[in-house]
Amino acid sequence: MQDLRILVVDDDAGDRKLVKRLIARAGVAAKVVEAMTADDALDLADPDLDAVFLDHLLPGVTGLSLLRDIRYRCPRAAILMMSGQGNETLAKSAIQLGATDYLSKSGIDEVAMKRMLVNSVHAATRQFEIDEQRRDLSTFVEVLVHDFKAPIRAVHFLAGQVQEDLASGDAEAVQEGLELLTRSTRQMMRTIKSLADHIKYDQKQDFAFNSVRTIVKDTLAGLTSDLHDAGAEVSLEFDEGVPEAWCDGAQIGQVVQNLVANSIKYSGAEPPRIRIGCSRDPGGWIAVSVADRGLGIPAKYRSRIFEPFKRLPGRDNVEGTGLGLATCRKFVARNGGRIWCESEEGDGTTMIFTLPVTGTPEEF
């Protein structure tokens, strides 16, 4: 099991030390970071956190007023509201605002800490999965209602045109109409595949130790035709001694496939030049990168491209549903890692994601 990533937010140094000591005595493997103020807490809050201990009284604000922002920034984390003494009204308000549990600093020991932390992280993870399933259902409906209207109308119209052209004996017009029909149906098939890939949240995962090099090579073999047609050049830069990753090889293969496909699509006028790297990062994780020399991504869009349907302005001529990177983020998260983007507009993009070396992501 990977160490839990925990944030303790409390302006009292003694109370922060108490929480850290109880976590250690409880035998819970954890990496703990501390914040004294609301601003510090928001700076440290991120989607990688597993738990947040949030004091009710902070300089200038209350924990309740901060709770929504913490919940938004740490959607997977268990949020445990703390106060000096037990308070049923505070506990109720905290739970209603999204806290996973409530604890009194004066009434908890290491046994209770372990039970509460393990149960809360488990409950928060399951709640996130339920919320994700709801979002996926909403996404599915939105795509069906919105993205299928145009191609269905196009197919209906083109079928009528082909009928008329057949009746008039215009073979050239029939051929053109059939080609347009094929393009429309292909787009619908791509949309359906993107949706199917994106909503596979309940699918049982096959975790095992996998060679990232093997995953990448197998994925590139499946993209041989696309790479050839685009005139793409792909280079591999793998550090020596990188261990196997604990992951679902099929899902990580799909992540690599989506990232390489994006490098091809957004290469601009020049043939794609793609570099795939793999190394052991300073934190002990495996870092995989897919870099290109394509169009690049403006800074203001880099944090939004992993959201469903978020496509860059001016790229509407590039085929796609806007679900590819959202699916990448979901699959990487399900495998215990994270994904981010480094890019300069007009000077290429590097997508980087991490994978654990040991431990089972499902145990987080």
Side-chain angles (χ1 to χ4, degrees):
M1 177 178 178
Q2 296 285 330
D3 290 355
L4 293 179
R5 293 149 292 190
I6 299 174
L7 170 63
V8 179
V9 186
D10 198 315
D11 62 325
D12 188 302
D15 286 344
R16 294 197 306 274
K17 185 176 181 179
L18 170 65
V19 173
K20 290 178 66 177
R21 184 167 60 245
L22 288 173
I23 292 172
R25 288 180 177 175
V28 177
K31 296 178 181 177
V32 181
V33 292
E34 303 176 37
M36 296 177 58
T37 67
D39 288 341
D40 291 341
L42 293 177
D43 286 342
L44 292 170
D46 65 61
D48 290 337
L49 289 173
D50 297 294
V52 178
F53 287 87
L54 180 60
D55 189 28
H56 172 49
L57 295 177
L58 295 168
V61 299
T62 67
L64 289 178
S65 65
L66 187 61
L67 206 154
R68 288 187 187 276
D69 286 337
I70 295 289
R71 167 57 61 211
Y72 177 77
R73 298 189 184 209
C74 312
R76 299 172 177 274
I79 301 180
L80 301 131
M81 180 66 72
M82 305 184 296
S83 71
Q85 301 293 331
N87 184 319
E88 290 185 6
T89 301
L90 172 60
K92 181 178 179 180
S93 297
I95 298 298
Q96 289 174 339
L97 289 172
T100 313
D101 210 336
Y102 167 85
L103 64 94
S104 168
K105 300 176 193 175
S106 61
I108 190 167
D109 57 19
E110 54 265 32
V111 175
M113 171 63 78
K114 181 173 183 177
R115 181 178 64 252
M116 177 179 291
L117 189 54
V118 171
N119 291 343
S120 295
V121 169
H122 178 79
T125 300
R126 294 297 171 259
Q127 185 60 52
F128 177 83
E129 292 175 354
I130 292 171
D131 293 341
E132 190 79 348
Q133 289 168 344
R134 290 172 179 162
R135 286 190 290 270
D136 285 342
L137 180 58
S138 176
T139 296
F140 186 86
V141 172
E142 185 174 345
V143 170
L144 287 181
V145 171
H146 182 269
D147 284 24
F148 266 65
K149 281 183 179 179
I152 287 173
R153 284 197 300 267
V155 167
H156 179 73
F157 172 78
L158 290 168
Q161 288 294 110
V162 168
Q163 278 188 319
E164 292 179 10
D165 295 333
L166 280 171
S168 66
D170 190 342
E172 185 176 342
V174 169
Q175 183 62 35
E176 182 180 348
L178 290 174
E179 289 175 0
L180 291 172
L181 274 171
T182 300
R183 286 170 56 185
S184 295
T185 54
R186 273 192 196 137
Q187 178 58 29
M188 285 192 283
M189 289 300 295
R190 277 192 293 265
T191 301
I192 290 171
K193 184 179 184 305
S194 292
L195 279 169
D197 292 340
H198 190 71
I199 63 177
K200 287 178 181 175
Y201 205 85
D202 285 333
Q203 181 175 305
K204 179 176 174 55
Q205 290 183 265
D206 186 16
F207 287 112
F209 287 108
N210 285 283
S211 163
V212 176
R213 182 186 293 272
T214 299
I215 291 173
V216 169
K217 286 190 172 182
D218 288 348
T219 301
L220 291 176
L223 290 170
T224 299
S225 177
D226 292 342
L227 293 168
H228 177 269
D229 291 345
E233 293 182 7
V234 181
S235 61
L236 304 184
E237 297 182 7
F238 283 64
D239 288 357
E240 293 294 330
V242 175
E244 293 183 325
W246 179 256
C247 63
D248 182 323
Q251 286 191 355
I252 299 308
Q254 187 162 349
V255 171
V256 174
Q257 176 178 306
N258 283 345
L259 297 182
V260 172
N262 274 358
S263 292
I264 295 173
K265 285 194 294 186
Y266 297 107
S267 61
E270 299 296 322
R273 300 293 179 265
I274 304 167
R275 177 180 55 79
I276 303 176
C278 183
S279 61
R280 185 78 175 263
D281 79 0
W285 296 69
I286 293 174
V288 183
S289 61
V290 178
D292 61 52
R293 300 194 312 218
L295 300 175
I297 300 170
K300 63 181 178 180
Y301 297 116
R302 287 174 208 154
S303 63
R304 300 178 57 196
I305 58 174
F306 296 100
E307 299 174 17
F309 308 114
K310 297 299 183 183
R311 305 189 70 202
L312 297 182
R315 309 288 170 86
D316 293 336
N317 61 320
V318 180
E319 292 180 344
T321 61
L323 284 173
L325 288 179
T327 301
C328 287
R329 181 177 66 175
K330 176 179 291 187
F331 282 177
V332 169
R334 290 199 71 195
N335 282 269
R338 67 186 186 95
I339 185 169
W340 68 94
C341 166
E342 295 177 359
S343 181
E344 292 294 335
E345 187 174 7
D347 194 31
T349 298
T350 300
M351 294 289 182
I352 306 166
F353 65 91
T354 58
L355 294 171
V357 176
T358 59
T360 305
E362 288 182 318
E363 294 176 353
F364 282 164

